[in-house]
Structure formats: structure tokens, C-alpha cells
Amino acid sequence: MNKKSFLGTVCAAVALTAILSACGDGKTRSTGWEFARNMYDPIAFNPDQPNKNFADGITAQTPPDGTTPIGFERFEFANTVEDYERAGRELVNPLIVTAENLKQGEALFHTYCTVCHGVDGKGDGPITQDRSVEDSRGKRQLENFPPPPSFHKSTGSMSSRGGLMSDLTDGKIYHTIFYGLNSMGSYASQVSPEERWKVVMYVHELQKK
């Protein structure tokens, strides 16, 4: 057997062995050779896993006091009437009034607010309309949701915390969006800080009516 024939035979044998190894004999779950072993055994720890690298053996460490997570915007006002008033004095919308910001603010208002406040901010959203419902005894009765006061200057509607709705400042509107008020829940988890300011901007347009 010459050298070329010998090499050809060896290559064929190696190829056949690789094919047979890949196919398996049906009795084992072996995946054969494994490349990039660290992809099978990751070095990183899951948050709930024990971790000997820390003195307390916990992976999910408590952040140091005074730190702020990346992308998180801290709201330094409490859910109190005093801080509501303080927000009204100190907070100013950081966004510039543009057609695009107003358009986005309108879209957000229609998505999250019109169900109660109405399309034009008059407090006549669909949830405030009388509707017939069936009680546990099978009898039908009218039910409605208390309407919020109108934002319009022409109506002179008063806020439950005092002052005209048409006079609400940037900070007071933002504070209410963040914490909610009365029957209105918080929208802090639904809209981002920037989106809240766009809603504030659009509410000011409704106040002018």
C-alpha cells in the first residue's frame, strides 16, 4: 500500500468513526464532543444562587445606600398633600413644547386617561356614563363611576385638594400621575418619566379650553 492509499484509508476511517459517533447507538444520550465548555457551565451566578464570593453567601447583594439603578429616575416627593404642594412649586416640565411632544402626549392621554377624563378632558369618559348591570339577584340597575372634575378653564372645576383644575401646575399634575388620587390609581408603572411630562404638556392644552 502506497503512502497516498494509506492516508486515504486513515481519513475514511476517521470520517466513518465521526459519523457513527454522531449517530449513536440509541443507548446513550451523549452529545459527543463538546466545544466551548464554558457555555455549558456558565461562570455567572443566578440571583438566587449561593455565592461563596461574598461574606453572606448571597449573590443578589443589597445596593449601597444612596445609589440609583441605571435608567431609574428617583422621585423625591412623598405621597402627601404637603409634597404635592411642594411639587407644584418646584417641578417644571423639562421638555420643550413641540408639535411632536404634544402629539405624543395626546396619544398617551387617549390611551390611559380618556376612560375617565374623556377625550377633551371634561370628565365625561365612558366609565362615568350610566350603564345597566345585573346584580347577584338577577335584577338590572344603573351603575356609574364618579366623574373626575374637568380640566377646562370655562367650567371652573375644583380639584379635591383645592384650587381650580385649570390652574394645576406641571408639578401637581406630574405628582398625581405618579401617585394617583382618590379613585385614580398610580400610573408610574405604565408611563415613563418622559411620557408623564408629555401628558402634563397635553393637559395644559386642555386647561386652555
Side-chain angles (χ1 to χ4, degrees):
M1 180 182 295
N2 59 34
K3 188 175 181 179
K4 287 186 178 181
S5 298
F6 176 74
L7 290 175
T9 301
V10 170
C11 290
V14 171
L16 179 61
T17 301
I19 293 172
L20 292 176
S21 298
C23 294
D25 56 8
K27 298 178 181 180
T28 178
R29 294 176 59 85
S30 173
T31 57
W33 292 348
E34 297 176 347
F35 297 93
R37 183 67 238 179
N38 62 320
M39 295 183 68
Y40 293 85
D41 299 319
I43 299 173
F45 291 86
N46 291 328
D48 59 345
Q49 285 183 318
N51 193 327
K52 296 180 180 179
N53 295 299
F54 297 104
D56 58 7
I58 298 174
T59 296
Q61 295 290 300
T62 302
D65 292 338
T67 58
T68 301
I70 295 174
F72 177 78
E73 184 173 316
R74 195 176 297 279
F75 188 55
E76 302 290 355
F77 296 84
N79 188 16
T80 63
V81 175
E82 292 75 21
D83 269 20
Y84 166 77
E85 294 292 341
R86 184 167 70 89
R89 295 189 301 270
E90 298 179 7
L91 288 182
V92 178
N93 197 333
L95 303 181
I96 299 173
V97 178
T98 64
E100 183 62 24
N101 282 338
L102 281 172
K103 181 179 179 181
Q104 293 177 11
E106 179 181 12
L108 289 163
F109 184 89
H110 288 173
T111 299
Y112 296 103
C113 312
T114 54
V115 64
C116 294
H117 289 280
V119 174
D120 295 320
K122 294 189 295 185
D124 58 351
I127 199 173
T128 69
Q129 308 304 310
D130 288 341
R131 58 189 184 279
S132 179
V133 296
E134 188 174 288
D135 62 20
S136 58
R137 296 170 296 177
K139 294 184 178 181
R140 302 199 70 81
Q141 58 184 2
L142 289 179
E143 182 182 80
N144 68 0
F145 190 85
S150 170
F151 289 118
H152 294 192
K153 181 178 293 187
S154 60
T155 62
S157 296
M158 298 291 293
S159 165
S160 62
R161 287 185 285 204
L164 291 173
M165 292 289 286
S166 58
D167 291 337
L168 291 178
T169 61
D170 290 350
K172 288 184 176 181
I173 300 170
Y174 189 97
H175 187 282
T176 304
I177 294 172
F178 189 89
Y179 285 115
L181 176 66
N182 299 329
S183 299
M184 172 184 164
S186 168
Y187 282 84
S189 62
Q190 285 96 323
V191 288
S192 68
E194 182 177 335
E195 290 173 333
R196 294 170 211 155
W197 285 122
K198 290 177 181 178
V199 172
V200 170
M201 189 181 296
Y202 182 69
V203 169
H204 284 319
E205 292 300 306
L206 297 177
Q207 289 175 317
K208 298 174 184 177
K209 295 187 177 182

